[in-house]
Amino acid sequence: MECSSGIVENPDMYGYMTGYDNLKLYARLRNVKKERIDEIIELVGMKEAAKTKVSKYSLGMKQRMGLALTLLHSPKLLILDEPTNGLDPAGIKHLRDILKDISEKEKVAVFVSSHILTEMELMCDRVAVINKGKIVKVQEIGEHQEDKEEQTIIGVKDTKKAEKLLKDKGYITNVTEDKISVKIEFEHVPEVIKLLVNNDISIYNAVQKEKSLEDIFFAATENKKGGGKNANA
């Protein structure tokens, strides 16, 4: 058993062979049993397509069969470079679900390199932002995120009056058209709404918005030239 495996962009397989035959060839090189091939094909959702030649596969099918190849020898670390590149929305979701399933069932750590922030936010537990070759931010995602910075977006009739009132009370605000954003913790939302109502400011709605991965990325790379990548670590 080896400790790691990876796919760089598109997986490379013999197109004139079936997916199953590609797996068998790789399995012989790695001394992997047939039972493991069947198990992995089932895991990546390629049971019915395994007998089809790889040249007939869509990009999404190639990505899943490539995953099967990398998982045959039971690695503990899987490294993927832009795994959702070129996939349609359905293919992206399918691949994301498979990777989460693999991580849980195979006990594999999945490391992903990608510039698609919204996709990484849905896929990853932890993200590292890289700028000029250096890690400038490591961020937990979702329910694991400890340093959530939340905003409440409130629709009001008089934004100028609401902004002045809230700033006088020490709140950080930002006004856009008929809405005002207030940086506050969740438990302080009722008191802000009460403050506005008591000062005759009509409220149309209030929405709680957490800091996005895009916000985190730009905050980490602010005033720094050059691109950045995010990766599951």
Side-chain angles (χ1 to χ4, degrees):
M1 178 169 57
E2 297 187 11
C3 62
S4 65
S5 191
I7 299 176
V8 178
E9 294 186 349
N10 298 323
D12 193 16
M13 291 170 283
Y14 293 106
Y16 64 89
M17 295 169 59
T18 67
Y20 194 86
D21 286 339
N22 270 277
L23 291 175
K24 280 203 307 183
L25 177 62
Y26 187 82
R28 283 199 295 269
L29 296 173
R30 300 284 181 166
N31 295 317
V32 175
K33 295 181 180 178
K34 178 183 178 298
E35 291 75 17
R36 177 62 176 170
I37 299 176
D38 297 334
E39 180 184 333
I40 290 300
I41 285 176
E42 186 79 34
L43 183 63
V44 299
M46 289 291 286
K47 188 175 181 180
E48 293 185 8
K51 299 297 183 180
T52 302
K53 288 185 178 181
V54 170
S55 59
K56 304 286 186 182
Y57 283 1
S58 66
L59 181 56
M61 292 166 74
K62 287 180 180 178
Q63 289 284 34
R64 281 183 278 154
M65 191 55 75
L67 275 177
L69 282 171
T70 62
L71 291 168
L72 271 180
H73 59 284
S74 303
K76 292 301 179 185
L77 173 63
L78 182 60
I79 302 173
L80 306 175
D81 179 39
E82 305 285 1
T84 60
N85 221 5
L87 299 183
D88 60 22
I92 290 173
K93 184 182 184 306
H94 195 182
L95 182 64
R96 182 172 69 237
D97 291 342
I98 288 172
L99 289 176
K100 288 181 177 179
D101 201 32
I102 287 170
S103 178
E104 181 179 340
K105 291 181 179 178
E106 294 281 310
K107 306 301 179 187
V108 178
V110 183
F111 186 101
V112 181
S113 171
S114 178
H115 66 281
I116 307 174
L117 299 178
T118 52
E119 187 54 41
M120 293 302 96
E121 196 163 16
L122 292 170
M123 185 184 294
C124 303
D125 296 322
R126 185 183 300 117
V127 167
V129 177
I130 299 176
N131 191 73
K132 292 185 177 179
K134 294 182 179 180
I135 295 177
V136 294
K137 177 72 175 178
V138 176
Q139 178 71 47
E140 300 289 337
I141 298 297
E143 61 184 16
H144 305 290
Q145 190 172 332
E146 295 178 356
D147 59 339
K148 291 180 181 178
E149 182 179 322
E150 298 176 335
Q151 293 185 78
T152 298
I153 303 173
I154 306 172
V156 296
K157 186 175 182 180
D158 190 340
T159 52
K160 288 184 178 180
K161 183 178 178 181
E163 182 182 29
K164 184 179 185 310
L165 179 65
L166 292 171
K167 281 188 174 180
D168 288 346
K169 293 292 183 180
Y171 292 108
I172 299 173
T173 63
N174 182 46
V175 176
T176 55
E177 297 181 358
D178 60 344
K179 294 181 178 64
I180 184 164
S181 299
V182 191
K183 290 187 178 181
I184 49 174
E185 294 179 1
F186 183 73
E187 56 267 28
H188 296 309
V189 172
E191 64 189 57
V192 168
I193 296 210
K194 184 178 179 181
L195 176 66
L196 294 172
V197 171
N198 288 344
N199 283 272
D200 298 320
I201 297 174
S202 299
I203 297 175
Y204 302 123
N205 53 48
V207 180
Q208 195 78 4
K209 180 180 180 292
E210 291 181 3
K211 193 173 185 180
S212 69
L213 184 54
E214 186 178 80
D215 296 330
I216 293 167
F217 174 84
F218 284 114
T221 58
E222 193 175 14
N223 299 324
K224 297 183 180 72
K225 293 182 180 179
K229 276 195 175 184
N230 57 348
N232 182 306

PDB file of all heavy atoms in Angstrom, residues 184-218:
ATOM      1  N   ILE A 184     -22.407  42.506  12.620  1.00  0.00           N
ATOM      2  CA  ILE A 184     -22.769  42.191  14.002  1.00  0.00           C
ATOM      3  C   ILE A 184     -22.841  40.684  14.194  1.00  0.00           C
ATOM      4  O   ILE A 184     -23.048  39.937  13.242  1.00  0.00           O
ATOM      5  CB  ILE A 184     -24.147  42.794  14.402  1.00  0.00           C
ATOM      6  CG1 ILE A 184     -25.191  42.456  13.339  1.00  0.00           C
ATOM      7  CG2 ILE A 184     -24.057  44.267  14.657  1.00  0.00           C
ATOM      8  CD1 ILE A 184     -26.589  42.869  13.713  1.00  0.00           C
ATOM      9  N   GLU A 185     -22.676  40.247  15.421  1.00  0.00           N
ATOM     10  CA  GLU A 185     -22.847  38.833  15.741  1.00  0.00           C
ATOM     11  C   GLU A 185     -24.339  38.520  15.786  1.00  0.00           C
ATOM     12  O   GLU A 185     -25.178  39.393  16.031  1.00  0.00           O
ATOM     13  CB  GLU A 185     -22.190  38.514  17.087  1.00  0.00           C
ATOM     14  CG  GLU A 185     -20.676  38.665  17.049  1.00  0.00           C
ATOM     15  CD  GLU A 185     -20.032  38.371  18.394  1.00  0.00           C
ATOM     16  OE1 GLU A 185     -20.772  38.030  19.340  1.00  0.00           O
ATOM     17  OE2 GLU A 185     -18.806  38.483  18.491  1.00  0.00           O
ATOM     18  N   PHE A 186     -24.658  37.262  15.541  1.00  0.00           N
ATOM     19  CA  PHE A 186     -26.055  36.834  15.397  1.00  0.00           C
ATOM     20  C   PHE A 186     -26.924  37.249  16.578  1.00  0.00           C
ATOM     21  O   PHE A 186     -28.056  37.702  16.409  1.00  0.00           O
ATOM     22  CB  PHE A 186     -26.101  35.309  15.239  1.00  0.00           C
ATOM     23  CG  PHE A 186     -27.491  34.768  15.020  1.00  0.00           C
ATOM     24  CD1 PHE A 186     -28.137  34.945  13.809  1.00  0.00           C
ATOM     25  CD2 PHE A 186     -28.150  34.097  16.029  1.00  0.00           C
ATOM     26  CE1 PHE A 186     -29.413  34.454  13.604  1.00  0.00           C
ATOM     27  CE2 PHE A 186     -29.429  33.603  15.839  1.00  0.00           C
ATOM     28  CZ  PHE A 186     -30.065  33.779  14.620  1.00  0.00           C
ATOM     29  N   GLU A 187     -26.395  37.136  17.802  1.00  0.00           N
ATOM     30  CA  GLU A 187     -27.201  37.414  19.000  1.00  0.00           C
ATOM     31  C   GLU A 187     -27.557  38.896  19.162  1.00  0.00           C
ATOM     32  O   GLU A 187     -28.444  39.253  19.949  1.00  0.00           O
ATOM     33  CB  GLU A 187     -26.504  36.906  20.270  1.00  0.00           C
ATOM     34  CG  GLU A 187     -25.104  37.433  20.492  1.00  0.00           C
ATOM     35  CD  GLU A 187     -24.043  36.508  19.930  1.00  0.00           C
ATOM     36  OE1 GLU A 187     -24.338  35.788  18.955  1.00  0.00           O
ATOM     37  OE2 GLU A 187     -22.922  36.513  20.474  1.00  0.00           O
ATOM     38  N   HIS A 188     -26.872  39.771  18.402  1.00  0.00           N
ATOM     39  CA  HIS A 188     -27.152  41.205  18.512  1.00  0.00           C
ATOM     40  C   HIS A 188     -28.136  41.721  17.454  1.00  0.00           C
ATOM     41  O   HIS A 188     -28.478  42.901  17.447  1.00  0.00           O
ATOM     42  CB  HIS A 188     -25.843  42.007  18.398  1.00  0.00           C
ATOM     43  CG  HIS A 188     -24.883  41.728  19.510  1.00  0.00           C
ATOM     44  ND1 HIS A 188     -25.236  41.786  20.835  1.00  0.00           N
ATOM     45  CD2 HIS A 188     -23.563  41.372  19.485  1.00  0.00           C
ATOM     46  CE1 HIS A 188     -24.184  41.487  21.586  1.00  0.00           C
ATOM     47  NE2 HIS A 188     -23.160  41.228  20.787  1.00  0.00           N
ATOM     48  N   VAL A 189     -28.611  40.838  16.581  1.00  0.00           N
ATOM     49  CA  VAL A 189     -29.556  41.245  15.533  1.00  0.00           C
ATOM     50  C   VAL A 189     -30.844  41.842  16.115  1.00  0.00           C
ATOM     51  O   VAL A 189     -31.295  42.912  15.669  1.00  0.00           O
ATOM     52  CB  VAL A 189     -29.885  40.058  14.596  1.00  0.00           C
ATOM     53  CG1 VAL A 189     -31.006  40.434  13.625  1.00  0.00           C
ATOM     54  CG2 VAL A 189     -28.645  39.637  13.815  1.00  0.00           C
ATOM     55  N   PRO A 190     -31.482  41.208  17.116  1.00  0.00           N
ATOM     56  CA  PRO A 190     -32.734  41.767  17.655  1.00  0.00           C
ATOM     57  C   PRO A 190     -32.597  43.196  18.182  1.00  0.00           C
ATOM     58  O   PRO A 190     -33.483  44.028  17.969  1.00  0.00           O
ATOM     59  CB  PRO A 190     -33.095  40.790  18.784  1.00  0.00           C
ATOM     60  CG  PRO A 190     -32.456  39.510  18.398  1.00  0.00           C
ATOM     61  CD  PRO A 190     -31.168  39.912  17.748  1.00  0.00           C
ATOM     62  N   GLU A 191     -31.469  43.488  18.846  1.00  0.00           N
ATOM     63  CA  GLU A 191     -31.320  44.825  19.412  1.00  0.00           C
ATOM     64  C   GLU A 191     -31.125  45.893  18.328  1.00  0.00           C
ATOM     65  O   GLU A 191     -31.573  47.044  18.487  1.00  0.00           O
ATOM     66  CB  GLU A 191     -30.159  44.868  20.423  1.00  0.00           C
ATOM     67  CG  GLU A 191     -28.795  44.597  19.848  1.00  0.00           C
ATOM     68  CD  GLU A 191     -27.722  44.449  20.925  1.00  0.00           C
ATOM     69  OE1 GLU A 191     -27.878  43.580  21.813  1.00  0.00           O
ATOM     70  OE2 GLU A 191     -26.738  45.207  20.873  1.00  0.00           O
ATOM     71  N   VAL A 192     -30.480  45.505  17.208  1.00  0.00           N
ATOM     72  CA  VAL A 192     -30.318  46.441  16.098  1.00  0.00           C
ATOM     73  C   VAL A 192     -31.674  46.734  15.459  1.00  0.00           C
ATOM     74  O   VAL A 192     -32.010  47.883  15.158  1.00  0.00           O
ATOM     75  CB  VAL A 192     -29.329  45.881  15.047  1.00  0.00           C
ATOM     76  CG1 VAL A 192     -29.385  46.699  13.755  1.00  0.00           C
ATOM     77  CG2 VAL A 192     -27.907  45.892  15.590  1.00  0.00           C
ATOM     78  N   ILE A 193     -32.464  45.689  15.239  1.00  0.00           N
ATOM     79  CA  ILE A 193     -33.786  45.875  14.647  1.00  0.00           C
ATOM     80  C   ILE A 193     -34.675  46.724  15.569  1.00  0.00           C
ATOM     81  O   ILE A 193     -35.398  47.613  15.109  1.00  0.00           O
ATOM     82  CB  ILE A 193     -34.439  44.507  14.375  1.00  0.00           C
ATOM     83  CG1 ILE A 193     -33.605  43.788  13.349  1.00  0.00           C
ATOM     84  CG2 ILE A 193     -35.896  44.653  13.992  1.00  0.00           C
ATOM     85  CD1 ILE A 193     -34.188  42.851  12.426  1.00  0.00           C
ATOM     86  N   LYS A 194     -34.579  46.453  16.865  1.00  0.00           N
ATOM     87  CA  LYS A 194     -35.365  47.222  17.838  1.00  0.00           C
ATOM     88  C   LYS A 194     -34.953  48.698  17.812  1.00  0.00           C
ATOM     89  O   LYS A 194     -35.804  49.603  17.871  1.00  0.00           O
ATOM     90  CB  LYS A 194     -35.155  46.646  19.240  1.00  0.00           C
ATOM     91  CG  LYS A 194     -35.992  47.312  20.315  1.00  0.00           C
ATOM     92  CD  LYS A 194     -35.756  46.648  21.669  1.00  0.00           C
ATOM     93  CE  LYS A 194     -36.579  47.328  22.756  1.00  0.00           C
ATOM     94  NZ  LYS A 194     -36.359  46.709  24.087  1.00  0.00           N
ATOM     95  N   LEU A 195     -33.641  48.956  17.684  1.00  0.00           N
ATOM     96  CA  LEU A 195     -33.128  50.319  17.622  1.00  0.00           C
ATOM     97  C   LEU A 195     -33.703  51.064  16.415  1.00  0.00           C
ATOM     98  O   LEU A 195     -34.131  52.221  16.533  1.00  0.00           O
ATOM     99  CB  LEU A 195     -31.595  50.284  17.546  1.00  0.00           C
ATOM    100  CG  LEU A 195     -30.885  51.628  17.368  1.00  0.00           C
ATOM    101  CD1 LEU A 195     -31.088  52.514  18.605  1.00  0.00           C
ATOM    102  CD2 LEU A 195     -29.392  51.410  17.109  1.00  0.00           C
ATOM    103  N   LEU A 196     -33.730  50.407  15.270  1.00  0.00           N
ATOM    104  CA  LEU A 196     -34.253  51.027  14.053  1.00  0.00           C
ATOM    105  C   LEU A 196     -35.756  51.302  14.151  1.00  0.00           C
ATOM    106  O   LEU A 196     -36.225  52.390  13.819  1.00  0.00           O
ATOM    107  CB  LEU A 196     -33.971  50.130  12.839  1.00  0.00           C
ATOM    108  CG  LEU A 196     -32.489  49.939  12.458  1.00  0.00           C
ATOM    109  CD1 LEU A 196     -32.358  48.881  11.373  1.00  0.00           C
ATOM    110  CD2 LEU A 196     -31.857  51.249  12.009  1.00  0.00           C
ATOM    111  N   VAL A 197     -36.492  50.326  14.640  1.00  0.00           N
ATOM    112  CA  VAL A 197     -37.947  50.474  14.767  1.00  0.00           C
ATOM    113  C   VAL A 197     -38.306  51.582  15.748  1.00  0.00           C
ATOM    114  O   VAL A 197     -39.208  52.405  15.494  1.00  0.00           O
ATOM    115  CB  VAL A 197     -38.590  49.135  15.208  1.00  0.00           C
ATOM    116  CG1 VAL A 197     -40.069  49.344  15.563  1.00  0.00           C
ATOM    117  CG2 VAL A 197     -38.456  48.096  14.104  1.00  0.00           C
ATOM    118  N   ASN A 198     -37.595  51.642  16.875  1.00  0.00           N
ATOM    119  CA  ASN A 198     -37.862  52.676  17.888  1.00  0.00           C
ATOM    120  C   ASN A 198     -37.558  54.085  17.400  1.00  0.00           C
ATOM    121  O   ASN A 198     -37.991  55.073  18.000  1.00  0.00           O
ATOM    122  CB  ASN A 198     -37.068  52.388  19.163  1.00  0.00           C
ATOM    123  CG  ASN A 198     -37.627  51.204  19.936  1.00  0.00           C
ATOM    124  OD1 ASN A 198     -38.759  50.776  19.687  1.00  0.00           O
ATOM    125  ND2 ASN A 198     -36.849  50.669  20.874  1.00  0.00           N
ATOM    126  N   ASN A 199     -36.783  54.165  16.304  1.00  0.00           N
ATOM    127  CA  ASN A 199     -36.464  55.469  15.726  1.00  0.00           C
ATOM    128  C   ASN A 199     -37.230  55.700  14.419  1.00  0.00           C
ATOM    129  O   ASN A 199     -36.785  56.463  13.554  1.00  0.00           O
ATOM    130  CB  ASN A 199     -34.959  55.581  15.493  1.00  0.00           C
ATOM    131  CG  ASN A 199     -34.196  55.842  16.782  1.00  0.00           C
ATOM    132  OD1 ASN A 199     -34.012  56.988  17.192  1.00  0.00           O
ATOM    133  ND2 ASN A 199     -33.765  54.761  17.437  1.00  0.00           N
ATOM    134  N   ASP A 200     -38.371  55.025  14.312  1.00  0.00           N
ATOM    135  CA  ASP A 200     -39.306  55.211  13.191  1.00  0.00           C
ATOM    136  C   ASP A 200     -38.687  54.928  11.814  1.00  0.00           C
ATOM    137  O   ASP A 200     -38.979  55.609  10.829  1.00  0.00           O
ATOM    138  CB  ASP A 200     -39.881  56.631  13.200  1.00  0.00           C
ATOM    139  CG  ASP A 200     -40.671  56.913  14.475  1.00  0.00           C
ATOM    140  OD1 ASP A 200     -41.400  55.999  14.915  1.00  0.00           O
ATOM    141  OD2 ASP A 200     -40.540  58.015  15.010  1.00  0.00           O
ATOM    142  N   ILE A 201     -37.813  53.933  11.758  1.00  0.00           N
ATOM    143  CA  ILE A 201     -37.230  53.516  10.477  1.00  0.00           C
ATOM    144  C   ILE A 201     -37.920  52.221  10.048  1.00  0.00           C
ATOM    145  O   ILE A 201     -37.852  51.206  10.740  1.00  0.00           O
ATOM    146  CB  ILE A 201     -35.708  53.303  10.594  1.00  0.00           C
ATOM    147  CG1 ILE A 201     -35.020  54.626  10.959  1.00  0.00           C
ATOM    148  CG2 ILE A 201     -35.134  52.730   9.300  1.00  0.00           C
ATOM    149  CD1 ILE A 201     -33.551  54.504  11.244  1.00  0.00           C
ATOM    150  N   SER A 202     -38.602  52.270   8.908  1.00  0.00           N
ATOM    151  CA  SER A 202     -39.334  51.103   8.407  1.00  0.00           C
ATOM    152  C   SER A 202     -38.366  50.036   7.899  1.00  0.00           C
ATOM    153  O   SER A 202     -37.439  50.334   7.147  1.00  0.00           O
ATOM    154  CB  SER A 202     -40.276  51.516   7.276  1.00  0.00           C
ATOM    155  OG  SER A 202     -41.232  52.451   7.746  1.00  0.00           O
ATOM    156  N   ILE A 203     -38.612  48.772   8.311  1.00  0.00           N
ATOM    157  CA  ILE A 203     -37.770  47.639   7.900  1.00  0.00           C
ATOM    158  C   ILE A 203     -38.573  46.718   6.983  1.00  0.00           C
ATOM    159  O   ILE A 203     -39.671  46.296   7.330  1.00  0.00           O
ATOM    160  CB  ILE A 203     -37.269  46.860   9.134  1.00  0.00           C
ATOM    161  CG1 ILE A 203     -36.397  47.772   9.992  1.00  0.00           C
ATOM    162  CG2 ILE A 203     -36.487  45.621   8.706  1.00  0.00           C
ATOM    163  CD1 ILE A 203     -35.959  47.133  11.287  1.00  0.00           C
ATOM    164  N   TYR A 204     -38.011  46.411   5.820  1.00  0.00           N
ATOM    165  CA  TYR A 204     -38.689  45.523   4.873  1.00  0.00           C
ATOM    166  C   TYR A 204     -38.263  44.062   5.066  1.00  0.00           C
ATOM    167  O   TYR A 204     -39.068  43.158   4.964  1.00  0.00           O
ATOM    168  CB  TYR A 204     -38.389  45.953   3.437  1.00  0.00           C
ATOM    169  CG  TYR A 204     -38.806  47.372   3.139  1.00  0.00           C
ATOM    170  CD1 TYR A 204     -37.886  48.315   2.667  1.00  0.00           C
ATOM    171  CD2 TYR A 204     -40.117  47.785   3.334  1.00  0.00           C
ATOM    172  CE1 TYR A 204     -38.270  49.619   2.386  1.00  0.00           C
ATOM    173  CE2 TYR A 204     -40.511  49.093   3.057  1.00  0.00           C
ATOM    174  CZ  TYR A 204     -39.588  50.004   2.590  1.00  0.00           C
ATOM    175  OH  TYR A 204     -39.967  51.297   2.329  1.00  0.00           O
ATOM    176  N   ASN A 205     -36.991  43.854   5.328  1.00  0.00           N
ATOM    177  CA  ASN A 205     -36.497  42.494   5.563  1.00  0.00           C
ATOM    178  C   ASN A 205     -35.122  42.551   6.217  1.00  0.00           C
ATOM    179  O   ASN A 205     -34.492  43.608   6.279  1.00  0.00           O
ATOM    180  CB  ASN A 205     -36.419  41.691   4.252  1.00  0.00           C
ATOM    181  CG  ASN A 205     -35.623  42.402   3.183  1.00  0.00           C
ATOM    182  OD1 ASN A 205     -34.521  42.893   3.437  1.00  0.00           O
ATOM    183  ND2 ASN A 205     -36.162  42.460   1.967  1.00  0.00           N
ATOM    184  N   ALA A 206     -34.667  41.391   6.718  1.00  0.00           N
ATOM    185  CA  ALA A 206     -33.339  41.285   7.325  1.00  0.00           C
ATOM    186  C   ALA A 206     -32.793  39.891   7.018  1.00  0.00           C
ATOM    187  O   ALA A 206     -33.470  38.891   7.266  1.00  0.00           O
ATOM    188  CB  ALA A 206     -33.412  41.518   8.823  1.00  0.00           C
ATOM    189  N   VAL A 207     -31.584  39.837   6.445  1.00  0.00           N
ATOM    190  CA  VAL A 207     -30.971  38.566   6.055  1.00  0.00           C
ATOM    191  C   VAL A 207     -29.581  38.452   6.664  1.00  0.00           C
ATOM    192  O   VAL A 207     -28.775  39.387   6.581  1.00  0.00           O
ATOM    193  CB  VAL A 207     -30.867  38.448   4.510  1.00  0.00           C
ATOM    194  CG1 VAL A 207     -30.218  37.127   4.122  1.00  0.00           C
ATOM    195  CG2 VAL A 207     -32.240  38.578   3.874  1.00  0.00           C
ATOM    196  N   GLN A 208     -29.307  37.305   7.262  1.00  0.00           N
ATOM    197  CA  GLN A 208     -27.993  37.055   7.839  1.00  0.00           C
ATOM    198  C   GLN A 208     -27.068  36.494   6.761  1.00  0.00           C
ATOM    199  O   GLN A 208     -27.417  35.546   6.064  1.00  0.00           O
ATOM    200  CB  GLN A 208     -28.114  36.056   8.990  1.00  0.00           C
ATOM    201  CG  GLN A 208     -26.895  35.986   9.887  1.00  0.00           C
ATOM    202  CD  GLN A 208     -26.820  37.155  10.862  1.00  0.00           C
ATOM    203  OE1 GLN A 208     -27.730  37.980  10.905  1.00  0.00           O
ATOM    204  NE2 GLN A 208     -25.761  37.228  11.625  1.00  0.00           N
ATOM    205  N   LYS A 209     -25.896  37.083   6.583  1.00  0.00           N
ATOM    206  CA  LYS A 209     -24.954  36.650   5.547  1.00  0.00           C
ATOM    207  C   LYS A 209     -23.584  36.421   6.165  1.00  0.00           C
ATOM    208  O   LYS A 209     -23.016  37.307   6.792  1.00  0.00           O
ATOM    209  CB  LYS A 209     -24.856  37.711   4.449  1.00  0.00           C
ATOM    210  CG  LYS A 209     -23.902  37.354   3.311  1.00  0.00           C
ATOM    211  CD  LYS A 209     -23.881  38.470   2.271  1.00  0.00           C
ATOM    212  CE  LYS A 209     -22.924  38.138   1.128  1.00  0.00           C
ATOM    213  NZ  LYS A 209     -21.523  38.137   1.558  1.00  0.00           N
ATOM    214  N   GLU A 210     -23.054  35.199   5.975  1.00  0.00           N
ATOM    215  CA  GLU A 210     -21.726  34.883   6.486  1.00  0.00           C
ATOM    216  C   GLU A 210     -20.666  35.313   5.479  1.00  0.00           C
ATOM    217  O   GLU A 210     -20.921  35.422   4.287  1.00  0.00           O
ATOM    218  CB  GLU A 210     -21.599  33.379   6.751  1.00  0.00           C
ATOM    219  CG  GLU A 210     -22.443  32.898   7.911  1.00  0.00           C
ATOM    220  CD  GLU A 210     -22.272  31.412   8.152  1.00  0.00           C
ATOM    221  OE1 GLU A 210     -21.451  30.784   7.445  1.00  0.00           O
ATOM    222  OE2 GLU A 210     -22.955  30.884   9.031  1.00  0.00           O
ATOM    223  N   LYS A 211     -19.474  35.511   5.979  1.00  0.00           N
ATOM    224  CA  LYS A 211     -18.346  35.892   5.129  1.00  0.00           C
ATOM    225  C   LYS A 211     -18.044  34.752   4.160  1.00  0.00           C
ATOM    226  O   LYS A 211     -17.882  33.606   4.571  1.00  0.00           O
ATOM    227  CB  LYS A 211     -17.126  36.170   6.012  1.00  0.00           C
ATOM    228  CG  LYS A 211     -15.983  36.867   5.314  1.00  0.00           C
ATOM    229  CD  LYS A 211     -14.922  37.221   6.335  1.00  0.00           C
ATOM    230  CE  LYS A 211     -13.811  38.043   5.704  1.00  0.00           C
ATOM    231  NZ  LYS A 211     -12.781  38.384   6.704  1.00  0.00           N
ATOM    232  N   SER A 212     -17.992  35.046   2.864  1.00  0.00           N
ATOM    233  CA  SER A 212     -17.761  34.016   1.854  1.00  0.00           C
ATOM    234  C   SER A 212     -16.270  33.729   1.694  1.00  0.00           C
ATOM    235  O   SER A 212     -15.414  34.506   2.137  1.00  0.00           O
ATOM    236  CB  SER A 212     -18.341  34.458   0.512  1.00  0.00           C
ATOM    237  OG  SER A 212     -17.586  35.541  -0.015  1.00  0.00           O
ATOM    238  N   LEU A 213     -15.984  32.623   1.004  1.00  0.00           N
ATOM    239  CA  LEU A 213     -14.587  32.277   0.730  1.00  0.00           C
ATOM    240  C   LEU A 213     -13.940  33.329  -0.166  1.00  0.00           C
ATOM    241  O   LEU A 213     -12.750  33.616  -0.040  1.00  0.00           O
ATOM    242  CB  LEU A 213     -14.510  30.899   0.072  1.00  0.00           C
ATOM    243  CG  LEU A 213     -13.103  30.352  -0.201  1.00  0.00           C
ATOM    244  CD1 LEU A 213     -12.251  30.348   1.062  1.00  0.00           C
ATOM    245  CD2 LEU A 213     -13.194  28.949  -0.785  1.00  0.00           C
ATOM    246  N   GLU A 214     -14.733  33.927  -1.053  1.00  0.00           N
ATOM    247  CA  GLU A 214     -14.215  35.003  -1.899  1.00  0.00           C
ATOM    248  C   GLU A 214     -13.788  36.190  -1.043  1.00  0.00           C
ATOM    249  O   GLU A 214     -12.729  36.797  -1.280  1.00  0.00           O
ATOM    250  CB  GLU A 214     -15.280  35.439  -2.905  1.00  0.00           C
ATOM    251  CG  GLU A 214     -14.767  36.463  -3.914  1.00  0.00           C
ATOM    252  CD  GLU A 214     -15.821  36.850  -4.933  1.00  0.00           C
ATOM    253  OE1 GLU A 214     -16.687  37.691  -4.604  1.00  0.00           O
ATOM    254  OE2 GLU A 214     -15.798  36.296  -6.038  1.00  0.00           O
ATOM    255  N   ASP A 215     -14.599  36.539  -0.022  1.00  0.00           N
ATOM    256  CA  ASP A 215     -14.241  37.625   0.896  1.00  0.00           C
ATOM    257  C   ASP A 215     -12.929  37.305   1.612  1.00  0.00           C
ATOM    258  O   ASP A 215     -12.055  38.163   1.759  1.00  0.00           O
ATOM    259  CB  ASP A 215     -15.348  37.835   1.937  1.00  0.00           C
ATOM    260  CG  ASP A 215     -16.656  38.302   1.318  1.00  0.00           C
ATOM    261  OD1 ASP A 215     -16.600  38.989   0.288  1.00  0.00           O
ATOM    262  OD2 ASP A 215     -17.719  37.967   1.872  1.00  0.00           O
ATOM    263  N   ILE A 216     -12.808  36.053   2.055  1.00  0.00           N
ATOM    264  CA  ILE A 216     -11.615  35.604   2.771  1.00  0.00           C
ATOM    265  C   ILE A 216     -10.386  35.673   1.861  1.00  0.00           C
ATOM    266  O   ILE A 216      -9.311  36.130   2.263  1.00  0.00           O
ATOM    267  CB  ILE A 216     -11.812  34.163   3.298  1.00  0.00           C
ATOM    268  CG1 ILE A 216     -12.900  34.138   4.378  1.00  0.00           C
ATOM    269  CG2 ILE A 216     -10.507  33.590   3.847  1.00  0.00           C
ATOM    270  CD1 ILE A 216     -13.393  32.758   4.728  1.00  0.00           C
ATOM    271  N   PHE A 217     -10.568  35.237   0.605  1.00  0.00           N
ATOM    272  CA  PHE A 217      -9.463  35.240  -0.369  1.00  0.00           C
ATOM    273  C   PHE A 217      -8.937  36.655  -0.604  1.00  0.00           C
ATOM    274  O   PHE A 217      -7.738  36.907  -0.547  1.00  0.00           O
ATOM    275  CB  PHE A 217      -9.939  34.618  -1.684  1.00  0.00           C
ATOM    276  CG  PHE A 217      -8.921  34.694  -2.788  1.00  0.00           C
ATOM    277  CD1 PHE A 217      -7.930  33.743  -2.902  1.00  0.00           C
ATOM    278  CD2 PHE A 217      -8.960  35.732  -3.716  1.00  0.00           C
ATOM    279  CE1 PHE A 217      -6.991  33.809  -3.922  1.00  0.00           C
ATOM    280  CE2 PHE A 217      -8.018  35.812  -4.737  1.00  0.00           C
ATOM    281  CZ  PHE A 217      -7.035  34.838  -4.840  1.00  0.00           C
ATOM    282  N   PHE A 218      -9.859  37.589  -0.893  1.00  0.00           N
ATOM    283  CA  PHE A 218      -9.416  38.954  -1.201  1.00  0.00           C
ATOM    284  C   PHE A 218      -8.862  39.672   0.024  1.00  0.00           C
ATOM    285  O   PHE A 218      -7.952  40.491  -0.090  1.00  0.00           O
ATOM    286  CB  PHE A 218     -10.562  39.748  -1.830  1.00  0.00           C
ATOM    287  CG  PHE A 218     -10.802  39.377  -3.274  1.00  0.00           C
ATOM    288  CD1 PHE A 218     -11.980  38.767  -3.665  1.00  0.00           C
ATOM    289  CD2 PHE A 218      -9.835  39.624  -4.231  1.00  0.00           C
ATOM    290  CE1 PHE A 218     -12.194  38.413  -4.987  1.00  0.00           C
ATOM    291  CE2 PHE A 218     -10.028  39.268  -5.567  1.00  0.00           C
ATOM    292  CZ  PHE A 218     -11.212  38.661  -5.937  1.00  0.00           C
TER     293      PHE A 218
END
